[in-house]
């Protein structure tokens, strides 16, 4: 049994179904993703079939079923970003890291995700790496940004 | 804290205060200060543009020089393209604002403030006037700046100006008095009446009368009613709700408290996107402050009214902006809509009467109570009252948030406020209303912005995203972008939306891709598809269950209406005039430049390039998928793109 999941579940004693999404969010916040085991213990805790838990978890874009990389890259695919070239930015990241969307690099360093709109349309195109926003990204600046994180990891 | 609760909150809205209390309030409002204050625009857009570095530089400077002064992190003033912004206010002088601040400029400004050097003259945005302070010579007022002058800021009044997480400052500026006046002087029914008479309509998209909606819930008897604030701002291209919560969370809380009192709700939820961590953080802080002041909780200010606000984080599903889907999501279910009636106002969250309002709608409420419904109804047009916040983005000179009175023309917004198209390019269209909306073209630029005029030209107010497009934007590609978004976000419950949007996307992909084999069968399918686009769109609109499906074909239908020629070009000429649909490109090899190095032939994924070593190569058009790899690998510039 996973300790962190248990610790989180203890906080939600006597919880009802409306706590399901907050519980999943909290587990993912700590663990970075949701494993089969975690979903099973959530189901047991809430006295719900795991199939229902899985049904809810897969409905929402936020939940991941694969471990996250150390640096999680979110590419904004909102309208403003699209008009200013976020499709090219996304392609460039895929090419550079040799991964597809929702995948993690083999060394576990980077993972890639598409988000609908981060809400910083004035600075499009935008990418977000571990909560840090990078505005007006171009294919040139992109490599430097990604490599700066790699350097950060090596230090 | 005590004098605010015992004296200031007892004042009528708009009443000013003199004497000792008055001067204390002036200090809280930063009008009379005795040491300099540094303001840094630290909304998500500011931080994205580098405000975190400016904050670091400022903190380092202050600790190095051992200066004790206040740094206030404000929300976004709305001019995103000028971020990061840094303002300084010296005792007795007006507050002055700098735009596009770099670390070097920040140090220059700080040394001017604290070492008496002259204030830098570059990157000055303007000065604010407040409290009879001395003005700066030769520096324009922000209120006169072309971006701000035509605006009328009710909802965004405090955004970027005041400290968002200081309840003291909000109260000193007149906040929460409308709520307490409502509790003491009006009955819930009075408030519903006032809001209905004000003409306020929902700012989240539909535009239904807010007061009338409240009355539905007000008239239902129930042991428990709920208010839900919809802050699940999923429209790509709209970010006003984020800016309001980051920049002025107390205004939202006050609006919610008034709404809850009016409908008789004692519990409420803010359903906020998980993608907005900063807004979430500031909202939580503001809620805690409001509880400390007794503005939330049990028996608020001895009125016998209870009210509590809980925050629920969304989990990234666009369809949860729909009322019944949102309710399901709060209940911990898959966020799928259900047929209405019963409407949420009679049977909503946990089966109880529930009113769901958008952030901007609720943020309008305090001013309506403060200044009266007649005042609010005097702003705007016949059918659309008040102001609307728009998020301007895309290929425009100044991007950001603008709040304008209803009835302003689209042309004024784009050319007068936002300075026209970036880089002197030609305007093509402005997309309003996100994935549910449509395009406005040159010929319709002079229509006044209100709910009804926009619908007449095939667009929609939506939540207020305005994405401006120039000649380098391909309208077919834009339609494809929205269709791709919608078919990914369709919840899958009803067939027209689930299957129909996917078929529409396939048709659009067909016309923006080069077919792998150019057989006549394929061409026929392409032509047939396009003739079906309109019909398919109509069926989806008429038969879908919820608002998402009913508006899903709008971007396609609207671009098809105004830019039919571009569609035809894609279909017949296989050409994209904007050069966006890269898969329609054709490539030729210049025989004079080609050395026959065979690199392109080796790299071509479909083997479309043939030729012997050391002789010029050729591209077999039928096999080419226009990926462009050959152009990238050619060292001799021998391949041209048409």
């Amino acid at each position: 049994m996973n300790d962190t999941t248990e610790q989180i579940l203890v906080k939600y004693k006597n919880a009802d179904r409306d706590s399901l999404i907050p519980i999943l969010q909290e587990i993912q916040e700590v663990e970075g993703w949701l494993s089969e085991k975690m979903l099973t213990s959530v189901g047991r805790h809430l006295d719900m079939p795991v199939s229902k838990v899985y049904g809810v978890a897969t409905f929402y874009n936020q939940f991941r079923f694969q471990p996250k990389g150390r640096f999680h890259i979110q590419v904004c695919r909102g309208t403003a970003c699209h008009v200013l070239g976020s499709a090219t930015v996304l392609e460039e990241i895929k090419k550079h890291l040799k991964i597809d969307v929702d995948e993690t690099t083999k060394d576990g360093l980077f993972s890639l995700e598409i988000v609908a709109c981060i809400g910083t349309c004035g600075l499009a195109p935008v990418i977000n790496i571990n909560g840090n926003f990078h505005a007006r990204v171009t294919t040139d600046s992109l490599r430097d940004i990604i490599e700066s994180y790699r350097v950060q990891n090596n230090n | 804290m005590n004098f605010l609760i015992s004296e200031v909150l007892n004042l009528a809205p708009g009443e000013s205060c003199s004497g000792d209390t008055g001067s204390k309030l002036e200090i809280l409002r930063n009008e009379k200060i005795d040491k300099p204050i540094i303001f840094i625009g630290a909304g998500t857009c500011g931080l994205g543009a580098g405000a975190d570095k400016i904050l670091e530089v400022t903190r380092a400077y202050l600790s190095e020089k051992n200066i004790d002064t206040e740094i206030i992190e404000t929300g976004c003033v709305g001019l995103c393209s000028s971020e990061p912004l840094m303002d300084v206010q010296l005792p007795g002088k007006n507050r002055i604002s700098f735009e596009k601040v770099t670390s070097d400029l920040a140090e220059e400004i700080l040394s001017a403030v604290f070492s008496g050097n002259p204030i830098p003259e570059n990157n000055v945005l303007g000065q604010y006037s407040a409290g009879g302070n001395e003005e700066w010579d030769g520096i324009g007022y922000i209120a006169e700046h072309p971006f701000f002058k035509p605006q009328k800021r009710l909802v965004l009044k405090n955004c970027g100006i005041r400290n968002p997480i200081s309840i003291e400052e909000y109260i000193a500026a007149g906040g929460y008095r409308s709520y307490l006046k409502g509790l003491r002087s009006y009955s819930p029914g009075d408030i519903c009446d006032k809001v209905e008479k004000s003409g306020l309509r929902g700012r989240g998209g539909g535009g239904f009368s807010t007061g009338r909606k409240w009355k539905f819930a007000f008239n239902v008897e129930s042991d428990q009613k709920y208010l839900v604030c919809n802050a699940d701002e999923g429209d790509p291209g709209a970010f006003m709700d984020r800016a309001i919560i980051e920049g002025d969370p107390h205004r939202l809380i006050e609006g919610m408290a008034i709404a809850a009192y009016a409908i008789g709700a004692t519990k409420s939820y803010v359903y906020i996107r998980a993608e907005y961590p900063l807004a979430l953080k500031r909202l939580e802080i503001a809620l805690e402050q409001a509880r400390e002041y007794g503005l939330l909780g049990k028996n608020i200010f001895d009125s016998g009214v209870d009210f509590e606000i809980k925050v629920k984080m969304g989990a990234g599903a666009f369809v949860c902006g729909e009322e019944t889907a949102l309710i399901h999501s709060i209940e911990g279910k898959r966020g799928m809509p259900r047929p209405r009636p019963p409407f949420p106002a009679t049977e909503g969250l946990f089966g109880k009467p529930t009113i769901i309002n958008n952030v901007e709608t609720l943020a309008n409420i305090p001013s309506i109570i403060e200044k009266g419904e007649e005042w609010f109804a005097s702003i705007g047009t016949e059918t659309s009252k008040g102001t609307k916040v728009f998020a301007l983005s895309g290929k425009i000179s100044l991007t950001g948030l603008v709040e304008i009175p209803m009835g302003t023309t689209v042309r004024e917004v784009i050319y007068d406020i936002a300075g026209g198209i970036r880089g002197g390019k030609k305007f093509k269209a402005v997309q309003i209303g996100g994935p549910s909306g449509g395009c406005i073209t040159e010929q319709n630029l002079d229509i006044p912005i209100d709910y009804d005029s926009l619908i007449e030209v095939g667009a929609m107010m939506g939540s207020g995203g305005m994405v401006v497009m120039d000649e380098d934007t391909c309208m077919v590609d834009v339609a494809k972008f929205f269709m791709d978004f919608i078919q990914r976000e369709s919840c899958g419950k009803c067939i027209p939306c689930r299957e129909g949007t996917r078929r529409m996307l396939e048709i659009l992909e067909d016309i923006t891709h080069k077919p792998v084999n150019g057989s006549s069968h394929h061409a026929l399918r392409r032509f047939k598809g396009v003739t079906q686009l309109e019909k398919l769109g109509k069926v989806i609109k008429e038969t879908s269950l919820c608002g998402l499906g009913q508006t899903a074909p709008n971007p396609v239908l609207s671009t098809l209406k105004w830019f039919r020629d571009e569609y035809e070009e894609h279909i017949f000429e296989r050409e994209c005039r904007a050069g966006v649909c890269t898969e329609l490109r054709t490539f030729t090899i210049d025989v004079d430049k080609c050395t026959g190095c065979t690199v392109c032939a080796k790299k071509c994924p479909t083997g479309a390039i043939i030729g012997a070593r050391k002789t010029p190569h050729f591209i077999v058009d039928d096999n080419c998928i226009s990926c462009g790899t050959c152009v990238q690998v050619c060292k001799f510039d021998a391949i041209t793109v048409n």
Side-chain angles (χ1 to χ4, degrees), chain A residues 17-18 20-21 25 55-56 59-62 77-80 82-83 95 116-123 133 135, chain B residues 44-45 48 236 239 242 273-274 276 312-316 329-335 393 395 399 477 481-482 489:
Chain A
R17 181 164 183 170
D18 60 315
L20 172 59
I21 296 174
Q25 282 170 331
V56 170
F59 184 84
Y60 296 98
N61 297 331
Q62 192 190 10
R77 288 290 283 130
T79 323
H82 176 76
V83 171
K95 232 197 259 170
C117 181
I118 309 184
T120 46
C121 311
L123 306 170
F133 287 89
Chain B
T44 301
C45 25
F239 52 94
R242 170 182 69 69
R273 285 184 85 196
Y276 291 171
K312 278 267 180 182
M313 243 199 321
S329 179
I330 295 181
E331 289 172 347
K333 297 175 186 158
R334 286 166 75 92
S393 60
K395 306 208 174 160
T399 55
D477 178 68
F481 164 79
F482 281 118
E489 294 295 337

Side-chain angles (χ1 to χ4, degrees), chain A:
Chain A
M1 187 53 66
N2 194 315
D3 288 343
T4 33
T5 311
E6 283 306 304
Q7 277 167 17
I8 290 166
L9 289 176
V10 169
K11 283 198 281 177
Y12 288 88
K13 231 176 175 179
N14 302 326
D16 287 324
R17 181 164 183 170
D18 60 315
S19 304
L20 172 59
I21 296 174
I23 290 175
L24 293 178
Q25 282 170 331
E26 208 168 310
I27 295 176
Q28 179 162 295
E29 178 73 34
V30 180
E31 300 282 342
W33 68 302
L34 300 172
S35 69
E36 204 181 309
K37 264 192 187 152
M38 298 173 203
L39 292 176
T40 317
S41 28
V42 172
R44 197 171 297 136
H45 183 82
L46 291 177
D47 200 15
M48 262 171 76
V50 182
S51 59
K52 292 252 174 193
V53 176
Y54 191 68
V56 170
T58 48
F59 184 84
Y60 296 98
N61 297 331
Q62 192 190 10
F63 299 117
R64 303 171 54 84
F65 306 97
Q66 262 197 20
K68 203 152 80 164
R70 173 149 184 237
F71 302 110
H72 187 56
I73 307 175
Q74 291 180 315
V75 180
C76 179
R77 288 290 283 130
T79 323
C81 288
H82 176 76
V83 171
L84 289 160
S86 69
T88 334
V89 168
L90 180 65
E91 282 310 311
E92 195 61 30
I93 297 178
K94 283 199 219 166
K95 232 197 259 170
H96 190 66
L97 295 176
K98 298 191 180 68
I99 50 170
D100 213 334
V101 176
D102 289 332
E103 285 182 358
T104 308
T105 50
K106 277 194 188 136
D107 55 8
L109 219 48
F110 294 99
S111 49
L112 180 60
E113 186 191 350
I114 288 182
V115 288
C117 181
I118 309 184
T120 46
C121 311
L123 306 170
V126 185
I127 64 171
N128 180 345
I129 304 181
N130 282 9
N132 296 319
F133 287 89
H134 298 274
R136 299 197 182 97
V137 180
T138 61
T139 42
D140 292 334
S141 69
L142 193 65
R143 280 165 195 272
D144 298 340
I145 294 170
I146 292 178
E147 289 317 308
S148 73
Y149 281 91
R150 209 188 287 279
V151 170
Q152 192 184 323
N153 181 61
N154 293 339
N155 293 337

